[in-house]
Amino acid sequence: MKLSYQSVGTVCIYCGAGCGLNVQVMDGRLAGVLPARSHPVSQGQLCAKGWNATEFVEHPDRLTTPLIKRNGRFEPASWDEALDLVSDKLAAYARASGPDALAFLASAKCSNEENYLLQKLARGVVGTNNVDHCARL
Amino acid sequence: MMESSHMLLDQVRQAVAAALETLDGVVALSVEHANVAPHLFQPGDDLGSLVLEPRYPLALTVREILKRYPEAHIGVVARGCDERSLVELYNWKQVDPDHVTVIGLACTPEEAAECRCAQPYPTAVAVGEPAESVEDAVLAEFMATKTREERLAFWQRQFAKCMKCYGCRDVCPLCFCEKCAMEEPTWVARGRLPVAFPTFHLIKALHTAGAGKCVECHACELACPADIPLSILYSLLRREVKEGFGYEAGAQRTGNPPVFLSA
């Protein structure tokens, strides 16, 4: 019989330490985490976040669509609608108070390339150096 | 004479290839981009990525795969500690021995010394030469140099380092409970550090080593980011269970762990 078990080596998305994880995948579904013993940073040890690094993926509280607050309530919206709203508001604030009225928070859950693009947007397009991120330990 | 690690590796690959002629898969370690992890080799797979180190608790992987595929028959490249874990999982009715084939790998004397292992080989050795038993010098030093008061102070200091990652539980091949007392709010307050002394750590100790489950694989200690020497505590409890109940986890398939008798 054909079995489907994979151990996928990756890096923890929670902080700047960058611990090594082996994500367990069974039948194409996440099935837990094992520490990566040969990883030079973490050497087979993880914190509580690393052990549970995959929990958010299928968590019922996870947002699966953009939400826009209308009349005091969050309502599901399309990406086009959400991005138009964000860009209109950012442009309005920058015009009214200058680009340093804005800050850009990058994320450890994105790739290096995505974070590069975010700071490029901040510096090159909006014109502010207010860039920071959650992994700055 | 000691065989070179190259020869051992070749022999393991040959044994796995032979096993895959009849089995659905074999659990062993595999290296990809310098990352070693448990892997399920299946018939027709290239065995070139199969490696022997660093050690993972492979019985845990076997347990999880068979939980998902109870009909499968899988092999595992098992060291002494992996085999003992499997035997204990058989005794606790968590893994069906009829669905597991052990390819026994004896640890080298160097590996045995590193793990301070009393039995660095499985009962049936397919590859390697059984190395001699190694005395646990860490445990011996603890017993020889500390008074009762010093031991209490020692554990207070050690347990205060705990960041409550639950790694010692998550990595343990014998921690198979669906509901864990270490997450029971009656005993363990959520979101509080340091953890209550000594409740948190004694729950783990009593529910594993104290229940006659600990096979001294030391996976918990290796996974501890606070470097708490958990093996000292668990080995002492393992001794107590042996003396009090004549039961040694993983030693033989009795089907009767001591807590079953008092149930």
Side-chain angles (χ1 to χ4, degrees):
Chain A
M1 73 187 283
K2 191 74 187 159
L3 314 176
S4 170
Y5 163 81
Q6 276 179 295
S7 195
V8 183
T10 185
V11 176
C12 182
I13 35 75
Y14 274 114
C15 86
C19 296
L21 310 175
N22 286 311
V23 173
Q24 308 293 289
V25 185
M26 205 95 74
D27 246 354
R29 309 283 294 194
L30 291 167
V33 163
L34 277 178
R37 292 209 59 208
S38 46
H39 194 272
V41 172
S42 49
Q43 299 173 27
Q45 300 176 346
L46 295 173
C47 77
K49 286 177 145 186
W51 274 107
N52 297 286
T54 57
E55 289 287 301
F56 74 92
V57 178
E58 297 190 52
H59 197 280
D61 289 349
R62 187 176 181 188
L63 299 183
T64 53
T65 173
L67 300 175
I68 293 177
K69 205 175 208 175
R70 293 187 179 104
N71 306 318
R73 288 172 59 101
F74 280 113
E75 292 174 4
S78 71
W79 279 105
D80 279 346
E81 222 181 333
L83 288 170
D84 281 349
L85 178 70
V86 169
S87 90
D88 287 352
K89 292 235 176 185
L90 289 180
Y93 292 140
R95 263 196 307 274
S97 312
D100 282 336
L102 299 171
F104 289 74
L105 292 178
S107 171
K109 288 191 181 61
C110 301
S111 64
N112 281 338
E113 291 76 8
E114 287 164 329
N115 282 319
Y116 173 83
L117 289 172
L118 186 84
Q119 66 82 35
K120 197 72 175 168
L121 175 71
R123 295 191 168 101
V125 178
V126 176
T128 178
N129 287 322
N130 293 338
V131 181
D132 211 334
H133 63 105
C134 62
R136 189 164 64 90
L137 287 184
Chain B
M1 204 184 82
M2 219 187 75
E3 286 153 306
S4 76
S5 57
H6 248 350
M7 273 178 64
L8 283 180
L9 187 54
D10 279 346
Q11 287 171 12
V12 169
R13 285 177 181 160
Q14 281 167 22
V16 171
L20 283 175
E21 285 174 18
T22 54
L23 301 176
D24 295 313
V26 171
V27 173
L29 297 176
S30 173
V31 62
E32 192 184 7
H33 305 301
N35 177 45
V36 176
H39 184 79
L40 181 68
F41 289 95
Q42 297 189 60
D45 284 356
D46 180 10
L47 301 180
S49 68
L50 192 154
V51 292
L52 304 178
E53 286 182 309
R55 197 165 60 75
Y56 275 81
L58 293 180
L60 175 67
T61 307
V62 171
R63 185 189 88 194
E64 291 305 303
I65 291 174
L66 285 179
K67 200 158 95 182
R68 173 64 189 82
Y69 301 104
E71 302 303 316
H73 194 143
I74 60 174
V76 54
V77 175
R79 296 174 182 274
C81 51
D82 297 319
E83 190 199 45
R84 291 195 295 280
S85 300
L86 284 167
V87 167
E88 202 50 32
L89 286 167
Y90 303 154
N91 286 349
W92 285 80
K93 319 279 186 266
Q94 297 301 309
V95 171
D96 183 347
D98 293 341
H99 289 257
V100 181
T101 297
V102 166
I103 300 166
L105 170 66
C107 293
T108 63
E110 293 77 17
E111 288 166 339
E114 194 186 318
C115 289
R116 316 178 324 255
C117 184
Q119 200 186 320
Y121 47 86
T123 48
V125 176
V127 179
E129 290 290 326
E132 284 193 23
S133 174
V134 177
E135 196 209 5
D136 189 340
V138 174
L139 178 62
E141 198 220 328
F142 177 85
M143 296 305 285
T145 60
K146 286 182 173 52
T147 64
R148 281 180 90 87
E149 291 70 28
E150 283 168 343
R151 287 182 204 174
L152 181 64
F154 175 82
W155 289 118
Q156 278 171 330
R157 208 165 52 242
Q158 291 295 337
F159 292 163
K161 298 190 294 184
C162 176
M163 59 178 91
K164 220 177 169 188
C165 71
Y166 288 86
C168 53
R169 176 198 66 182
D170 293 349
V171 83
C172 177
L174 272 304
C175 273
F176 49 73
C177 300
E178 295 290 327
K179 215 166 171 263
C180 178
M182 291 168 82
E183 291 185 54
E184 178 57 57
T186 312
W187 306 112
V188 179
R190 281 192 75 170
R192 294 281 294 275
L193 277 177
V195 291
F197 179 88
T199 329
F200 185 78
H201 291 92
L202 286 195
I203 291 174
K204 172 73 171 86
L206 288 167
H207 286 208
T208 50
K213 285 176 175 177
C214 178
V215 301
E216 292 182 316
C217 74
H218 296 185
C220 49
E221 193 169 275
L222 290 169
C224 180
D227 292 328
I228 301 171
L230 293 164
S231 69
I232 295 177
L233 181 62
Y234 299 167
S235 291
L236 289 173
L237 265 171
R238 188 178 141 93
R239 274 188 197 176
E240 292 290 325
V241 173
K242 190 181 175 185
E243 280 164 25
F245 300 93
Y247 190 81
E248 213 176 341
Q252 52 182 324
R253 279 166 59 180
T254 63
N256 267 330
V259 294
F260 286 14
L261 300 177
S262 57

